[in-house]
Amino acid sequence: MLRKTLYLSMVALLSWSAATAQIHKMQRKDTLIHGQSVAAHSSAIHRTYNLNPVVVTGSGHHQRLKSTATPVRVLSTQEIREQGISTFDGALTRMMPQTSMAPSSMGTFLRMNGLGNKYILILINGQKLSGDISNNVDLNRINMSRVKRIEVLDGAASSLYGSDAIAGVINIITDQPTQDFINVTSDTRVSGHGILTESVSLDVYKNGFGSYTSFSHDRADSYRNNDLEYQKNSETETQSSIAPLFTGYRSTIIGQKFTYVPNQHLALNAGLDYSYKITDRPDTRNDITGGTDYEMRYKGFRWNVGGIYKFTAKNSLQADFVVDRFRYGKEYDVETKTNAVGDYVQSKKQRMMEGQLKAILGLTKNSTTIIGANWRQENLTASSGNIDQHVYSLAAYAQHEMRLLKDFTATLGVRLTHHETFNQHLTPKATLMYAPGNFRFRATYSAGFRAPGLDELYYHYFSVNRGKAQISFGNKDLKPEKSNYFSLNAEYRTQQIAVSITGFLNRINDMVVKQNVDVDDAARKMLLAEFPEMTQDQADKMVSYALYQNSDKGDVKGLQVNVSANIFEGFNLSANYVYTYARTKSDDEWTVLERSIRHAATITANYHHIWGRYGLNVNLNGRLQSKTYYTGNYEDAPGFGVWNLHTTHSLDVLRWAYIEPSIGIDNIFNKVDRRIDSSTRKYALYSPGRMLVVGLKLTFKQ
């Protein structure tokens, strides 16, 4: 039924869009300074729908979306805000059906096109975001108040971006206006279950010098949708529990960035970000299960310097250096036998240093050549097992994009990576685009490469959760993961409508997975010797421990359909549908890939109108998806459809002041997964139900 509904929605949208008359074209004036798009000044209540924005992620250099030979999806900050979204994971799940999230105290588990966190490379202005918890990048480190747009590239992209870019690349482009001004902004959003986001920024730009200061705070309470859980080894006897379905947290980010543009050729930048997050879970109690003795605490510190020198409009040299530190551990709020309230026990500390040099050259009128070099070093310190390891990689890459004939563009790229542990790897890329008129036809092949992480190689992890010992071992004999990605794309794009259809196949070899190893008497003796802190009783209760190993292969194939249309002036409609068939083969047996979703769609309708100094924006958004597959003894999570309504009211009250109150309803139809929790049950829908969302944005400019 869900599949039929999705298909009918797409057909109806295509038919309606094709029948509409052309609307008045909205012009937009843009210039590019150090990778930033600077729009002509307009009032806060002005609204345009740009179906052909400037992007950088697909090709490594700035060009219009319809001109890039590699398909890229763009989420603008305007679209994100109009949907009442204040978090990074909310932006992806509401607007991109190929992504899904599973929040927990160990970070948000992100999936894209069937593949998990470790296969998705997250960049901030083209630089890797490091620091993870169990391969889950801490998404709360992303300051959404600074996001200008989010560019998403599906599939392997290792020729440009190196290791980890097997499922795709998510590049977060931040905003830094370059017109003389002083700008102060406060943005607050409140909803149920203690959810609050607050950001304050001060931006100053004068005579080529820019200073951008920001503070953001994000918080939410823990909650569960059913107070009962099945007792251990029973599917009939229940008991009360306070273990949260969604883990509450408090998160703070402080950021500072400086830019200096002394002339039309040179642009320099430097910045730093500090992030702090701590979970907020129920404490351990004697009368009920599900509480915890400690909270998880995370800290991150990231700084970068860089610059670009433009010899001419088509020739430039860019250099960047970034250091990213991240650590997490346990902060006790319940006294135990070994720890007092307030004690902090560090679990893991990471540091990444990366430097890159890139030249973008217009050697001929109809070509763009990119030549670059990259150095990266990663360090891991883990208290469990006394791990202190590091690894470096060196890479050189080149890409040449050329218009062969009037309507044909070809791109060839290759990257040679030398990894300290896994030696040399070559990752090529080839694309061909045929572009007659408003049509685009693209064919892409790209290779992917992922070196196993330091935790997968050296982990020696022991923890106790709800009285159960949990143990994970790394494996120094792991092989790197390799992938081959193929896609075909057809696109039609004008100022009024954009339609894109993409079929893809992604094949991964030597996937690194955590496999359970059964525990016998000999294994118990080994575990007690490896982890002296483990008690005999904990060892006796152990059934298995986890060991990182190479699985045989993974196979992901799918179809994406994206439609966006300006139906008439002020009204925009978009729909995105994804079919994904993801599976993995271990030995001779094929199984569905963990947490994969076969069908998913997002639908958005947006209306905007201006009356004098007042602007109204009404946005209706829905996400529909089929069941989520789980492997082993876990049952699949049911599909769902969640709809959200959000209104924004823009008031251009003074020449230097804008007020933007907003009000909306999340989960209009109160869709909630109220199944009783059990040891064999996982979830795909984490919403607590219908919630009122209220916000207020204040902007002062001079």
Side-chain angles (χ1 to χ4, degrees):
M1 181 67 184
L2 175 61
R3 186 188 308 181
K4 183 177 180 180
T5 301
L6 297 177
Y7 288 157
L8 289 175
S9 299
M10 296 301 299
V11 170
L13 177 60
L14 285 167
S15 301
W16 186 15
S17 301
T20 58
Q22 281 205 341
I23 65 170
H24 176 67
K25 294 185 178 180
M26 299 180 180
Q27 301 298 325
R28 177 180 171 180
K29 180 181 178 182
D30 288 279
T31 58
L32 292 174
I33 300 179
H34 191 36
Q36 300 300 319
S37 177
V38 184
H41 177 71
S42 61
S43 84
I45 65 175
H46 185 61
R47 174 65 161 93
T48 60
Y49 295 97
N50 189 357
L51 299 184
N52 188 31
V54 173
V55 295
V56 66
T57 308
S59 61
H61 64 95
H62 289 87
Q63 57 186 174
R64 288 291 178 181
L65 184 60
K66 72 176 184 179
S67 301
T68 179
T70 305
V72 176
R73 178 79 193 282
V74 181
L75 312 180
S76 71
T77 185
Q78 182 173 262
E79 295 172 298
I80 293 170
R81 177 162 184 78
E82 288 171 351
Q83 293 193 27
I85 299 169
S86 57
T87 62
F88 178 73
D89 53 350
L92 292 185
T93 54
R94 285 197 189 184
M95 303 173 73
M96 295 197 60
Q98 63 263 51
T99 62
S100 63
M101 303 282 182
S104 74
S105 61
M106 299 305 290
T108 300
F109 194 89
L110 167 65
R111 297 197 77 86
M112 187 163 81
N113 292 321
L115 296 172
N117 282 19
K118 65 182 181 179
Y119 300 106
I120 306 166
L121 181 61
I122 297 180
L123 307 173
I124 298 179
N125 294 321
Q127 299 169 338
K128 180 180 178 181
L129 178 65
S130 186
D132 66 87
I133 313 106
S134 299
N135 285 320
N136 300 334
V137 173
D138 186 3
L139 301 179
N140 286 99
R141 299 182 69 197
I142 299 171
N143 187 350
M144 288 298 293
S145 68
R146 282 299 184 198
V147 173
K148 179 176 184 177
R149 65 181 185 273
I150 300 172
E151 299 181 6
V152 181
L153 172 64
D154 288 298
S158 292
S159 65
L160 272 180
Y161 299 105
S163 181
D164 302 342
I166 285 182
V169 177
I170 301 174
N171 192 7
I172 301 152
I173 310 297
T174 61
D175 192 17
Q176 51 187 62
T178 55
Q179 294 175 332
D180 288 352
F181 70 97
I182 298 176
N183 185 60
V184 180
T185 302
S186 171
D187 195 354
T188 306
R189 197 173 301 273
V190 181
S191 60
H193 294 277
I195 298 174
L196 164 71
T197 60
E198 167 67 32
S199 65
V200 180
S201 63
L202 169 63
D203 300 337
V204 180
Y205 189 86
K206 186 70 174 177
N207 298 329
F209 176 80
S211 172
Y212 311 92
T213 307
S214 62
F215 168 86
S216 67
H217 180 70
D218 186 12
R219 61 183 295 171
D221 294 339
S222 294
Y223 59 79
R224 57 183 295 124
N225 292 331
N226 193 315
D227 293 334
L228 298 177
E229 68 175 10
Y230 286 114
Q231 296 182 12
K232 185 179 179 181
N233 300 323
S234 173
E235 288 295 325
T236 56
E237 299 295 325
T238 61
Q239 62 186 12
S240 296
S241 175
I242 55 175
L245 171 68
F246 174 88
T247 300
Y249 63 90
R250 308 288 183 267
S251 176
T252 299
I253 304 174
I254 300 173
Q256 175 65 56
K257 184 168 186 176
F258 297 104
T259 63
Y260 182 52
V261 185
N263 54 56
Q264 62 180 343
H265 297 291
L266 180 64
L268 304 173
N269 68 88
L272 58 87
D273 290 280
Y274 169 79
S275 60
Y276 175 89
K277 176 186 172 184
I278 188 167
T279 58
D280 186 15
R281 301 181 291 188
D283 294 343
T284 300
R285 289 165 45 182
N286 294 325
D287 61 327
I288 194 170
T289 66
T292 54
D293 297 336
Y294 56 85
E295 304 296 346
M296 299 300 300
R297 193 182 81 186
Y298 319 95
K299 288 185 178 182
F301 183 74
R302 175 185 176 94
W303 63 270
N304 67 280
V305 294
I308 182 171
Y309 186 82
K310 288 190 174 183
F311 302 94
T312 66
K314 292 191 64 179
N315 295 273
S316 62
L317 183 65
Q318 182 176 334
D320 293 288
F321 181 77
V322 60
V323 176
D324 200 347
R325 298 173 181 266
F326 182 77
R327 64 178 180 176
Y328 71 89
K330 305 170 183 175
E331 185 173 295
Y332 283 82
D333 46 20
V334 174
E335 186 174 357
T336 67
K337 294 180 180 179
T338 56
N339 296 97
V341 175
D343 283 355
Y344 173 75
V345 179
Q346 182 172 283
S347 300
K348 186 177 179 181
K349 181 169 66 175
Q350 296 171 282
R351 184 186 67 184
M352 183 206 72
M353 296 185 294
E354 183 174 34
Q356 55 181 330
L357 184 66
K358 181 170 73 172
I360 302 175
L361 307 172
L363 301 178
T364 67
K365 179 181 178 181
N366 296 320
S367 71
T368 302
T369 302
I370 297 176
I371 301 173
N374 176 275
W375 167 81
R376 181 186 297 168
Q377 178 164 310
E378 297 177 275
N379 296 68
L380 169 66
T381 302
S383 56
S384 182
N386 295 318
I387 300 170
D388 189 1
Q389 297 288 340
H390 60 83
V391 66
Y392 76 87
S393 63
L394 294 169
Y397 59 93
Q399 178 178 284
H400 184 67
E401 178 182 299
M402 185 173 185
R403 188 164 62 188
L404 301 175
L405 299 171
K406 178 183 176 182
D407 296 323
F408 283 93
T409 301
T411 304
L412 295 176
V414 65
R415 186 185 190 99
L416 177 62
T417 301
H418 171 76
H419 192 278
E420 183 179 4
T421 305
F422 301 108
N423 301 317
Q424 282 72 238
H425 286 273
L426 199 67
T427 47
K429 169 188 175 180
T431 69
L432 182 65
M433 180 175 71
Y434 174 53
N438 292 321
F439 288 93
R440 300 292 183 271
F441 301 95
R442 301 177 175 97
T444 301
Y445 164 76
S446 55
F449 160 74
R450 179 184 176 273
L454 288 170
D455 50 353
E456 295 169 324
L457 292 170
Y458 302 108
Y459 227 27
H460 195 264
Y461 178 79
F462 171 82
S463 180
V464 178
N465 184 20
R466 301 187 191 182
K468 293 182 180 180
Q470 297 178 327
I471 290 176
S472 297
F473 284 105
N475 184 352
K476 290 182 284 188
D477 296 324
L478 290 175
K479 295 180 288 186
E481 299 173 271
K482 299 176 288 293
S483 72
N484 292 286
Y485 176 81
F486 306 87
S487 72
L488 294 174
N489 168 264
E491 178 184 278
Y492 176 78
R493 187 178 295 273
T494 68
Q495 288 290 339
Q496 289 72 49
I497 184 171
V499 181
S500 176
I501 301 175
T502 305
F504 66 90
L505 171 64
N506 201 357
R507 289 185 167 167
I508 307 105
N509 293 318
D510 298 319
M511 294 181 74
V512 176
V513 298
K514 262 187 179 181
Q515 293 189 341
N516 292 327
V517 180
D518 293 337
V519 174
D520 55 18
D521 291 338
R524 287 189 179 89
K525 291 181 181 180
M526 179 272 292
L527 295 175
L528 285 167
E530 291 283 340
F531 302 98
E533 62 269 39
M534 185 168 64
T535 66
Q536 183 65 54
D537 181 62
Q538 290 169 343
D540 291 340
K541 292 179 180 179
M542 285 206 68
V543 177
S544 64
Y545 65 88
L547 174 67
Y548 285 102
Q549 293 182 345
N550 287 106
S551 180
D552 286 349
K553 62 171 63 176
D555 187 273
V556 183
K557 59 189 71 172
L559 177 71
Q560 297 183 6
V561 181
N562 309 104
V563 181
S564 184
N566 295 324
I567 305 302
F568 53 81
E569 187 169 0
F571 184 69
N572 176 268
L573 189 63
S574 64
N576 310 283
Y577 166 75
V578 175
Y579 166 80
T580 307
Y581 182 51
R583 56 182 187 162
T584 181
K585 181 181 180 183
S586 183
D587 295 326
D588 292 326
E589 183 179 357
W590 284 98
T591 58
V592 67
L593 204 58
E594 177 81 0
R595 297 180 187 267
S596 61
I597 301 165
R598 197 66 54 86
H599 303 276
T602 58
I603 301 172
T604 301
N606 185 278
Y607 175 72
H608 181 84
H609 192 77
I610 298 172
W611 294 270
R613 291 182 173 269
Y614 168 71
L616 170 66
N617 189 280
V618 181
N619 191 287
L620 178 66
N621 166 266
R623 179 182 175 96
L624 303 89
Q625 69 177 51
S626 58
K627 67 180 180 180
T628 302
Y629 292 94
Y630 288 95
T631 58
N633 296 323
Y634 294 104
E635 65 179 56
D636 298 333
F640 60 85
V642 173
W643 293 88
N644 311 287
L645 178 66
H646 190 76
T647 66
T648 305
H649 310 266
S650 302
L651 301 169
D652 193 352
V653 293
L654 296 169
R655 184 179 62 84
W656 48 269
Y658 306 120
I659 301 176
E660 194 175 85
S662 61
I663 186 169
I665 301 174
D666 279 355
N667 199 346
I668 299 171
F669 301 109
N670 200 31
K671 183 67 176 179
V672 180
D673 189 345
R674 299 192 187 277
R675 293 177 299 159
I676 299 176
D677 198 7
S678 74
S679 59
T680 61
R681 180 162 292 161
K682 291 189 177 183
Y683 297 83
L685 177 61
Y686 293 85
S687 172
R690 185 187 301 115
M691 290 192 300
L692 180 69
V693 183
V694 179
L696 177 63
K697 182 178 181 180
L698 304 174
T699 303
F700 304 94
K701 286 189 177 184
Q702 183 174 349

